[in-house]
Amino acid sequence: MPIYIMLVNWTQQSVGNVKESPMGFDAFKQSPEQAGSQLKSFYLVIGQYDMICVVEVPSDEVIAKLGRTNGAKR
């Protein structure tokens, strides 16, 4: 399966709810699994992006759907 790198930024809402971040990340980790994918690794970073996620997915369509779905939640 192809491996993709997702560059993620937190929204103002997620920054305001930082205490709930572990629960939100748990929900985020389940999202690829439900789509037949796997979150391989993630990194919190400093700079233009807040997080980098490495995801293994079965197709381009699945990664596009994950990006749209999780973008709406963050």
Side-chain angles (χ1 to χ4, degrees):
M1 280 196 287
I3 294 177
Y4 290 85
I5 296 172
M6 298 176 72
L7 304 172
V8 181
N9 280 317
W10 289 342
T11 63
Q12 274 305 116
Q13 180 182 359
S14 60
V15 170
N17 296 328
V18 72
K19 290 182 181 180
E20 287 84 30
S21 289
M23 291 177 285
F25 187 70
D26 287 340
F28 172 76
K29 287 192 302 188
Q30 291 175 3
S31 182
E33 292 169 5
Q34 292 170 351
S37 307
Q38 181 182 11
L39 178 65
K40 302 295 265 180
S41 60
F42 77 97
Y43 306 92
L44 296 175
V45 295
I46 297 172
Q48 184 176 354
Y49 298 99
D50 298 315
M51 183 169 37
I52 297 172
C53 298
V54 180
V55 187
E56 187 173 21
V57 298
S59 68
D60 294 340
E61 291 80 13
V62 172
I63 193 68
K65 182 179 178 182
L66 285 173
R68 285 191 311 270
T69 301
N70 289 298
K73 294 178 185 176
R74 305 278 161 247

